[in-house]
Amino acid sequence: MPFQLDYEMLRERMVREQLMARDITDPRVLEAMRRVPRHAFVPEPFRSRAYEDGPLPIGNDQTISQPYIVALMTQALELTPDDVVLEIGTGSGYQTAVLCELARFVYSLERYPTLAERASATLRDLGYHNAEVYVGDGSQGLPDMAPYNAIIVTAAAPVIPGPLRAQMANGGRMVIPVGDRYQQMLQRVRRRDDTWTVETLIPVMFVPLYGRHGFLPPDEPQMEDDNLLDDEL
Ligand code: SAM
């Protein structure tokens, strides 16, 4: 019989050694991380490493984030079961699945059609029916479905994109890495009526958010970079 990894055991160890041993304390987040089969979102050649303490390649020069960062960002969103979430940067769909466990509905936007299609199929195969994956420039958000109780951006932005701020519901939270292409600070934004407050969490390193309110895409060099439209908070 071929050697089979015990993914459930590896996942339990990930929760204890990488999450609980650090500062992930929200029982709902820990339970969601226990339930979602991370290996199903990792491309075959890296599957045996799915529960390691780091990011892994998923194609198109993109990565599935480290489990701890997924848990930390999810915890920072303070989700309730009624929340509607906007996720920017679907990638493999793993973070989407974690959000699906904790919120009512997740709208997720991905720039690369191949990643969006694969993520969508994985989510469907695993029985997650409370998510929709769209292809597009997430730096502009998804205004048609706004407002959102929570917004999570899993790629690094040069500034907090104005459209995302505008699409937050009153009382909403947004978690987003903000900085340059090589290092960022994870920020949590809260909206109360027409006031947005920003809290800095930890230093992080994400792939760039490309787009109209992000960094200039390498494959669209002619695109006008109008970051200046985004007033800094
Ligand atoms: N959360 C993902 C997961 O669990 O696999 C990992 C996300 S990966 C770190 C960042 C993703 O953001 C990449 O898939 C990248 O293609 C996407 N991205 C970058 N700029 C984007 C944009 N403007 N709109 C939508 N997605 C974007």
Side-chain angles (χ1 to χ4, degrees), residues 10-209:
L10 291 174
R11 195 154 59 244
E12 182 58 33
R13 191 191 289 169
M14 170 193 86
V15 168
R16 289 186 180 285
E17 295 178 4
Q18 300 173 34
L19 311 184
M20 295 172 80
R22 293 182 176 133
D23 52 356
I24 307 302
T25 53
D26 183 334
R28 290 186 69 228
V29 173
L30 291 168
E31 198 41 44
M33 297 292 292
R34 263 193 192 101
R35 271 200 299 265
V36 179
R38 180 173 163 93
H39 60 277
F41 295 88
V42 170
E44 227 292 306
F46 303 103
R47 198 154 289 167
S48 61
R49 298 174 53 193
Y51 296 97
E52 286 182 4
D53 191 14
L56 288 168
I58 55 169
N60 291 85
D61 272 339
Q62 303 302 319
T63 53
I64 177 173
S65 304
Q66 179 191 13
Y68 170 66
I69 292 293
V70 172
L72 182 77
M73 291 176 84
T74 308
Q75 180 167 270
L77 286 176
E78 298 173 352
L79 295 174
T80 71
D82 272 342
D83 282 348
V84 175
V85 183
L86 174 65
E87 177 190 38
I88 309 302
T90 317
S92 68
Y94 173 64
Q95 171 82 72
T96 321
V98 173
L99 297 169
C100 282
E101 294 276 352
L102 296 167
R104 179 152 57 92
F105 203 87
V106 183
Y107 295 97
S108 188
L109 261 163
E110 170 55 51
R111 181 169 184 268
Y112 291 101
T114 45
L115 292 180
E117 278 159 28
R118 200 186 313 140
S120 198
T122 311
L123 288 164
R124 193 190 48 234
D125 291 351
L126 291 172
Y128 289 104
H129 300 301
N130 56 336
E132 261 169 33
V133 180
Y134 293 79
V135 175
D137 173 11
S139 76
Q140 304 184 58
L142 194 58
D144 288 356
M145 311 297 177
Y148 303 99
N149 306 105
I151 299 181
I152 177 168
V153 183
T154 64
V159 292
I160 296 169
L164 297 186
R165 256 200 298 161
Q167 290 168 34
M168 293 172 73
N170 189 18
R173 293 83 56 203
M174 168 158 59
V175 176
I176 176 169
V178 182
D180 62 30
R181 283 166 190 265
Y182 308 104
Q183 55 178 0
Q184 309 91 32
M185 294 304 283
L186 194 59
Q187 301 195 329
R188 173 165 54 191
V189 185
R190 291 180 192 275
R191 177 175 189 176
R192 281 258 163 260
D193 301 316
D194 287 335
T195 305
W196 287 260
T197 50
V198 182
E199 210 181 318
T200 295
L201 306 178
I202 57 162
V204 285
M205 214 170 75
F206 275 86
V207 294
L209 176 79

